[in-house]
Amino acid sequence: MSPSRPLVGTLAMALLLGILALDMARSGVPDLFDAPAAIALGSGAAPGGAHCSGS
Amino acid sequence: MFRHRALVLALMLGFTAFAFVMAGPRAGLLVMVGLGFGLVLEGLRFGFAGPWRSIVTDRDGRGMLAQLIAIALVAVVAFPMLAANPAELAPAHAPVGVAMILGAFVFGLAMQLVMGCGSGTLVNAGSGNLVGLIALAGFIGGSFAGTLHLDWWTGLGSLPVASMQSLAGPNAGLALTLAGLALVGGVTLARAAPGKRIPPARLWIAAALIAGLALANLVIAGQPWGIVYGLGLWGAKLAQAGGADLAQTAFWAAEGNATRLSASILTDVTSLTNIGLLLGAFAVMRWRASPGAPAQALTMASYAGVLVAALVLGYSARLAFGCNVGAFFSGISTGSLHGWVWLVAAFGGSMLGIRLRPMILRPLPAREAMA
C-alpha cells in the first residue's frame, strides 16, 4: 500500500523545514539592512540573483 | 476539513510573513510568486512532462499548446521590457554546446521516468506523490553533483551565447520567437487527434496565470523564473554541512556562488520561488475536500530506479543550463537560442523516456499492494 498523500506531502514539508533549519543554523539570518529593493524593475540596481542558465 | 484549510492558510501566510521579516520585502514577494506557481500548477493541473507524453502517446496536444501560449504571452511583454531596462532585468540566455544538448536530451528522458520535470518534481512532492518526494531528493543531489563537473562538461565545446535579440534585434527577435512558437504549435495541432487540439478553459486560464506569475518573477527578481540553481544550492548546503569543502570546486569558489553558499537560502531568488511552489502544491492538496488517492504503489526496484533517474535528472539539468522552466519556458520567452535547442533535444530524450517508462515504473502487484 502506498502512503497517503497527506503523509507524503507532510514529509516533503519536513524535508523543506529541515533544510531551512540547517541553513539557518549554519548561515545565520540575512542582514535586513543589506536586503535588495522590493522590486528589481525601477530599483536602479543590476540583478544579483543566480539563474540556471548561468554557469 | 475546515481545520485543514485554516492550517493551509496559516502555513502560506506564515511562511510569506517569515520570509518578509527575515529577508526583506523582495523575499516575501518571491515566496508569494512561488506560491502562485504551486497553486496554479497543481490546482489547474498545468504541467510540462505530462503534455509532452500525451502528444506522443495519446495524440493529445492541448497541454502542449497551453505551454506555448504561456511562453508567447511572456515573450510579448518580456522582450520590450528587457530591451528598455537592460541594467535592471536579465534574460535567461545561455550558450549552446555539446554538454548542453546532451544534458537536455538526458533530462527529457529522465523526466519521463520520474513523472515530472523541475517544477513537476516540486509539485508532485508537495501534493503528496511518493515518486515526487523521492525525485526531489534525487534532483537536489543530482543538480549539486552537476555543479562539481560543469567545467569539464562545458569544456567539451560550446558556441558564444546567442539570442534572438543579438541575431535580429528586440522587435524582429520577438517576431521570430512568436513565429517559432506558432510553428511548434502548428506541428502540435497536426499531430493531435480531433477533439484533442483546443485547450479547455482550465488550461487557458492556467497559461495566462503562469505567464502573469513569470512576468512578476522577472519584474520582482530582475531575472526570469528558474528552478535548478536553487535545488543545486540546497544540495551544496547539505554537502557542506556533511563536511564537504566546496571552496576547492570551481563552481562554488566562483564569486557569486561562494557568496550564495555562505548566505541564507532566503536571499536566493530561485530557492524562494521553489519553496513557495512546494508550499503551494501542498496547500492545494490539503485544501481539497479529499486529498486524492495515494499514488500507485511501485516495486522497491522501481523506487530505486526513480531515485537514480532523479539524480540523472538534476545532473543533466545543470549541464543543460536549466530545466523545462529555466531553459525552455524562460529561455525561449526571453529570447535565448539555447531554449530552442533545448526543446528539440529534450523532446527527443522524452520520446525515448516514454519507451523506457514501463521498464522502470512497475506497479506493485495488487496482492502485495493490499498487504
Side-chain angles (χ1 to χ4, degrees):
Chain A
M1 181 94 180
S2 194
S4 71
R5 283 187 177 272
L7 174 62
V8 177
T10 304
L11 287 174
M13 293 299 108
L15 173 66
L16 175 62
L17 288 177
I19 291 171
L20 281 169
L22 181 74
D23 177 53
M24 199 164 282
R26 291 182 60 86
S27 305
V29 295
D31 178 4
L32 271 179
F33 292 102
D34 201 29
I39 294 174
L41 183 62
S43 67
H51 193 265
C52 349
S53 58
S55 58
Chain B
M1 190 170 72
F2 175 77
R3 195 165 62 93
H4 286 156
R5 289 183 173 178
L7 280 171
V8 161
L9 282 175
L11 183 68
M12 288 194 293
L13 291 172
F15 194 82
T16 303
F18 173 74
F20 192 98
V21 170
M22 297 298 287
R26 186 180 296 189
L29 289 173
L30 287 172
V31 168
M32 288 171 73
V33 169
L35 278 168
F37 280 127
L39 295 174
V40 174
L41 291 172
E42 173 62 13
L44 294 175
R45 284 172 285 130
F46 183 101
F48 291 94
W52 283 30
R53 189 168 60 253
S54 296
I55 186 64
V56 174
T57 58
D58 304 329
R59 299 184 65 186
D60 186 339
R62 293 172 290 190
M64 183 84 187
L65 282 171
Q67 294 172 15
L68 300 173
I69 291 162
I71 293 171
L73 288 172
V74 175
V76 166
V77 180
F79 267 70
M81 201 185 274
L82 288 164
N85 304 280
E88 294 168 350
L89 305 180
H93 293 174
V96 173
V98 175
M100 183 248 120
I101 295 171
L102 183 65
F105 181 87
V106 173
F107 181 92
L109 188 160
M111 80 174 183
Q112 294 300 346
L113 303 182
V114 306
M115 301 198 287
C117 55
S119 57
T121 296
L122 288 165
V123 167
N124 288 343
S127 65
N129 184 326
L130 183 57
V131 167
L133 181 59
I134 293 169
L136 177 59
F139 201 127
I140 291 171
S143 53
F144 163 63
T147 65
L148 302 179
H149 313 131
L150 188 60
D151 262 13
W152 185 85
W153 284 105
T154 51
L156 294 178
S158 61
L159 298 170
V161 175
S163 67
M164 293 299 181
Q165 291 94 327
S166 67
L167 293 174
N171 294 333
L174 173 60
L176 274 175
T177 298
L178 295 178
L181 291 168
L183 180 66
V184 178
V187 172
T188 304
L189 284 171
R191 163 72 187 168
K196 293 180 177 178
R197 291 184 174 132
I198 308 300
R202 164 180 66 83
L203 287 179
W204 284 96
I205 295 167
L209 290 172
I210 290 292
L213 288 163
L215 287 167
N217 194 115
L218 179 61
V219 166
I220 295 166
Q223 65 179 53
W225 180 24
I227 301 276
V228 178
Y229 186 91
L231 297 183
L233 180 64
W234 300 1
K237 284 181 172 285
L238 290 171
Q240 210 176 33
D245 181 10
L246 299 183
Q248 305 303 318
T249 68
F251 187 91
W252 295 108
E255 191 183 348
N257 296 329
T259 304
R260 280 173 214 105
L261 190 57
S262 62
S264 165
I265 277 176
L266 297 174
T267 62
D268 176 56
V269 171
T270 51
S271 291
L272 290 165
T273 46
N274 285 350
I275 291 169
L277 207 162
L278 194 61
L279 286 172
F282 178 77
V284 171
M285 182 268 291
R286 293 306 284 150
W287 187 270
R288 288 178 177 137
S290 163
Q296 166 80 58
L298 303 177
T299 62
M300 285 308 290
S302 288
Y303 286 126
V306 166
L307 181 61
V308 172
L311 282 162
V312 173
L313 186 77
Y315 192 94
S316 58
R318 187 58 273 175
L319 305 191
F321 294 116
C323 62
N324 292 55
V325 169
F328 171 53
F329 189 98
S330 295
I332 290 178
S333 64
T334 61
S336 184
L337 197 62
H338 103 288
W340 288 102
V341 176
W342 192 100
L343 167 61
V344 174
F347 201 87
S350 174
M351 290 176 72
L352 180 58
I354 291 167
R355 285 180 171 274
L356 296 176
R357 202 173 145 99
M359 293 176 224
I360 301 292
L361 302 178
R362 300 176 79 93
L364 199 63
R367 231 180 343 183
E368 292 177 46
M370 293 294 286

